[in-house]
Amino acid sequence: MDDPTSAKALLADAPLFDRAQIELELAREVVLVGRRWRARLDERLSKIGQTNARWATLYWIATAESALNQREVAERVGIETPTLVRILDQLEAQGLVVRTPDPDDRRAKIITATPAAEAALAEGDQIAAELRVQLMAQFELEALNTSLHVLKQLRAGLEKV
């Protein structure tokens, strides 16, 4: 008998809908999975005094190839600049980032991670990895690859519309 988590088995067990119903259900599930993933990650990150928003922001700052200003960080994280300012205030209070004047634009601030950010990122990475492994272990590699392919195509399509 086929593994019940294989892509073939998952498709065979899926209720039969017309295309519009499948598209609607898929869109709904993508939104719900994203929300629940963030909520579960937030729950776990709270144990180390972080949130998904702060951890993701810190990640983009710490892994950037060159220094970023606030606008660039906001673009990478996918949030508005005023929202980013509040997150940066919190990260700065935790000693994880510093803001310095941009020598090329006196109105802008360059955001850099402090040495303490490395340990905070490592803790967050470990927590995220544990959640990811816990949730993904139930799926065969084939199902994961198929899902990844579909999600990448959806994201690419969203960039065009």
Side-chain angles (χ1 to χ4, degrees), residues 5 131-140 144:
T5 61
L131 176 62
R132 187 174 57 250
V133 167
Q134 179 184 0
L135 294 172
M136 301 290 182
Q138 64 184 310
F139 301 107
E140 286 186 3
L144 292 173

Side-chain angles (χ1 to χ4, degrees), residues 132-160:
R132 187 174 57 250
V133 167
Q134 179 184 0
L135 294 172
M136 301 290 182
Q138 64 184 310
F139 301 107
E140 286 186 3
L141 185 59
E142 179 186 3
L144 292 173
N145 275 323
T146 300
S147 299
L148 179 61
H149 178 73
V150 169
L151 290 172
K152 281 185 173 187
Q153 286 183 315
L154 283 171
R155 183 170 48 89
L158 286 169
E159 298 298 325
K160 294 176 185 175

Side-chain angles (χ1 to χ4, degrees), residues 1 4 8-9 28 30 45 48 63-64 70-71 75 86 93 102 105 112 114 119 141 145 147 161:
M1 181 171 191
K8 188 176 180 179
R28 187 179 76 82
V30 166
L45 288 170
I48 61 166
T63 61
Q70 289 183 183
R71 180 187 50 76
E75 286 174 5
R86 288 190 300 276
D102 184 338
D105 182 352
T112 53
T114 67
L141 185 59
N145 275 323
S147 299
V161 295

Side-chain angles (χ1 to χ4, degrees), residues 70-97:
Q70 289 183 183
R71 180 187 50 76
E72 293 166 328
V73 174
E75 286 174 5
R76 290 188 185 198
V77 177
I79 58 177
E80 297 295 322
T81 304
T83 302
L84 176 67
V85 169
R86 288 190 300 276
I87 293 170
L88 291 175
D89 289 343
Q90 294 165 344
L91 290 171
E92 200 167 36
Q94 292 177 317
L96 301 175
V97 300

Side-chain angles (χ1 to χ4, degrees), residues 41 45 50-66 68 73 76-77 84 87-88 91 96-97 111-113 117-118 120-122 124-125 128 132:
L41 187 54
L45 288 170
Q50 291 303 329
T51 65
N52 184 46
R54 286 196 302 263
W55 179 66
T57 301
L58 188 58
Y59 170 84
W60 285 110
I61 294 165
T63 61
E65 292 182 18
S66 60
L68 302 173
V73 174
R76 290 188 185 198
V77 177
L84 176 67
I87 293 170
L88 291 175
L91 290 171
L96 301 175
V97 300
I111 314 303
T112 53
E118 190 174 328
L121 279 173
D125 287 347
R132 187 174 57 250

